[in-house]
Amino acid sequence: MEYWDIYDRGKHVTGRRMIRNDWHMKPGDYHLTVLALIRDRAGRILITQRKADKEWAPLKWEIPGGGVRAGERSEEAVLREVAEETGLHFTMEQGRCIHTYRSDSPAEQNNYFVDIYEFWGDFTQADVRIQDDEVEAFRLASPQEIGALGERGDFLHYHRLESLLVRPGFSEEEA
């Protein structure tokens, strides 16, 4: 059974834990999720499509990510999630946290923080190995293609990511 740490409103670990996806959180309790904008040299972003049998948001497109396990740091979680979901292996020298937001959903008893990381890499679509039990399909998409999916409601967290999609490229020393 996987456990997640419970954080307070200030994003500090409380010392309490919850069972993964047990959305019966008390007011003021939060969990932490990580997402990764993974860009190739051309600036295209790796997106994945959720499995059709997912209880929540089946067949929606998203960027890789997931929950931070109990005792795990955000940086460790994003590297693990990217490797598990895509088969791509990065280091924190190849990326950085570019944004954090908090979502309060007391009616759903699901409050959370999301740390969004950005990674640039020299990879092709052929290098990607998706996690078959979690991911239906994947592709490299331009920010404009993601925007079209988002406007149709087919891309998760689109309005939280929209301003982060168009960013300058990376230089050789960052590669």
Side-chain angles (χ1 to χ4, degrees):
M1 187 172 305
E2 185 176 319
Y3 288 91
W4 292 345
D5 286 318
I6 295 175
Y7 296 76
D8 66 17
R9 189 172 184 78
K11 198 180 167 196
H12 301 100
V13 176
T14 64
R16 294 179 289 123
R17 294 182 172 178
M18 64 183 277
I19 296 172
R20 177 185 175 169
N21 294 332
D22 180 14
W23 310 132
H24 296 91
M25 303 179 76
K26 296 176 184 171
D29 285 351
Y30 296 80
H31 64 90
L32 177 60
T33 297
V34 292
L35 296 175
L37 280 167
I38 303 169
R39 299 179 191 266
D40 69 2
R41 284 194 166 273
R44 295 174 302 175
I45 298 165
L46 178 62
I47 61 174
T48 58
Q49 186 179 40
R50 296 170 63 83
K51 281 289 211 187
D53 63 358
K54 287 280 192 180
E55 182 179 333
W56 182 77
L59 296 176
K60 297 288 185 182
W61 289 91
E62 62 185 347
I63 60 174
V68 176
R69 294 176 180 162
E72 191 174 44
R73 291 186 354 264
S74 177
E75 296 87 355
E76 295 167 330
V78 75
L79 294 174
R80 175 185 51 75
E81 286 287 344
V82 166
E84 287 175 2
E85 290 185 19
T86 70
L88 299 175
H89 297 275
F90 291 98
T91 65
M92 284 314 300
E93 288 75 33
Q94 295 170 287
R96 63 189 175 98
C97 187
I98 59 172
H99 185 68
T100 298
Y101 69 87
R102 187 183 77 216
S103 179
D104 294 286
S105 303
E108 297 174 356
Q109 296 178 306
N110 181 22
N111 302 322
Y112 56 91
F113 290 97
V114 178
D115 287 344
I116 302 171
Y117 290 82
E118 180 176 57
F119 294 94
W120 288 86
D122 190 13
F123 65 93
T124 67
Q125 200 157 313
D127 297 322
V128 177
R129 301 286 177 261
I130 61 169
Q131 188 178 24
D132 290 331
D133 60 336
E134 296 282 330
V135 177
E136 189 78 27
F138 75 95
R139 66 183 176 135
L140 292 168
S142 69
Q144 294 77 16
E145 291 169 313
I146 294 171
L149 289 168
E151 292 304 319
R152 288 196 313 263
D154 289 332
F155 198 89
L156 296 177
H157 309 284
Y158 175 69
H159 293 293
R160 299 277 193 165
L161 298 169
E162 184 177 12
S163 66
L164 305 174
L165 295 177
V166 180
R167 302 189 35 100
F170 71 111
S171 63
E172 286 301 314
E173 55 272 6
E174 292 176 298

